[in-house]
């Protein structure tokens, strides 16, 4: 519950499954993964990935990072999963996204 996990080592990973939790990564080729309710995953490392699969989860990354998001129904069932590369055009660096109606949506 509201936990956090972070990683700064190369090829490392940060994982969090608590509600309203966060996982962040700054290590080269690392990963941040969150599966909690309204959780977030973020990375600012080169060649990295941020994955948020929980209900109303959000993710952000730097230029060149990959984002993976799941969209869940109110009962928790996974409706859609989508991934995309932060390219500076379609997905912007440093911006949190959430998956809604199969699309990446900017979170205010």
């Amino acid at each position: 519950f509201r936990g956090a996990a972070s990683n700064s080592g190369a090829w490392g990973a940060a994982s969090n499954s608590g509600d309203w939790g966060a996982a962040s990564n700054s290590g080269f080729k690392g990963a941040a993964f969150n599966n909690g309710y309204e959780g977030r995953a973020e990375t600012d490392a080169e060649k990295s990935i941020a994955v948020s699969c929980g209900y109303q989860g959000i993710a952000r990354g730097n230029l060149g990072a990959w984002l993976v998001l799941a969209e869940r129904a109110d009962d928790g069932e996974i409706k859609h999963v989508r991934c995309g590369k932060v390219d500076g055009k379609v997905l912007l660096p440093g911006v949190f996204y959430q998956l809604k109606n199969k699309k990446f949506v900017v979170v205010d």
Side-chain angles (χ1 to χ4, degrees):
F1 180 74
R2 296 184 191 203
S6 63
N7 167 61
S8 60
W11 295 290
S15 176
N16 180 283
S17 62
D19 293 347
W20 300 287
S24 63
N25 168 66
S26 61
F28 179 73
K29 294 185 181 179
F33 176 81
N34 183 284
N35 193 40
Y37 175 82
E38 291 187 3
R40 70 180 193 188
E42 57 187 302
T43 183
D44 63 2
E46 209 176 324
K47 300 181 180 178
S48 57
I49 188 167
V51 180
S52 188
C53 296
Y55 182 75
Q56 295 184 355
I58 61 176
R60 76 176 176 185
N62 61 312
L63 195 62
W66 282 85
L67 305 181
V68 180
L69 288 167
E71 180 178 4
R72 291 184 180 259
D74 289 339
D75 66 1
E77 184 172 340
I78 295 174
K79 294 168 47 176
H80 308 286
V81 175
R82 185 164 181 195
C83 70
K85 190 171 186 177
V86 178
D87 61 1
K89 296 175 185 171
V90 176
L91 295 178
L92 303 174
V95 174
F96 275 108
Y97 289 93
Q98 186 175 62
L99 197 61
K100 289 187 179 181
N101 299 316
K102 301 180 186 180
K103 297 179 181 175
F104 286 106
V105 176
V106 174
V107 177
D108 296 328

